[in-house]
Amino acid sequence: MPEENKVSKAQQKAVNKYVKNNYDRINVTFPKGQKEIIMQAAEAAGESVNGYIKKAVNQRMERDNA
């Protein structure tokens, strides 16, 4: 790994602290093989997997609450 891409322990600790204080985490499990399908769908949509799943959840909640 090139030297300029390394993250110091202090930087990683700061990032972890920020994430802990500003985000909630939810672990989601899918049947084997579904991960690759979701990754491909997210890539085709030009989104990260996290963004793709968040968008899907938000759209479902909007639809259900309409």
Side-chain angles (χ1 to χ4, degrees):
M1 179 184 294
E3 199 64 33
E4 64 273 0
N5 289 339
K6 290 188 178 181
V7 177
S8 72
K9 288 182 181 182
Q11 286 172 313
Q12 189 59 51
K13 185 176 178 180
V15 168
N16 289 341
K17 182 179 177 182
Y18 177 83
V19 169
K20 181 179 179 183
N21 290 330
N22 293 284
Y23 293 94
D24 289 324
R25 289 193 175 268
I26 300 173
N27 292 325
V28 181
T29 56
F30 294 96
K32 286 278 187 189
Q34 193 73 20
K35 178 181 175 181
E36 185 63 34
I37 294 168
I38 294 168
M39 290 173 69
Q40 291 172 359
E43 184 178 342
E47 299 175 1
S48 66
V49 171
N50 189 61
Y52 186 83
I53 292 171
K54 284 172 31 179
K55 188 174 186 179
V57 169
N58 287 331
Q59 287 174 349
R60 173 70 185 264
M61 288 189 311
E62 286 176 12
R63 189 173 60 241
D64 288 353
N65 291 323

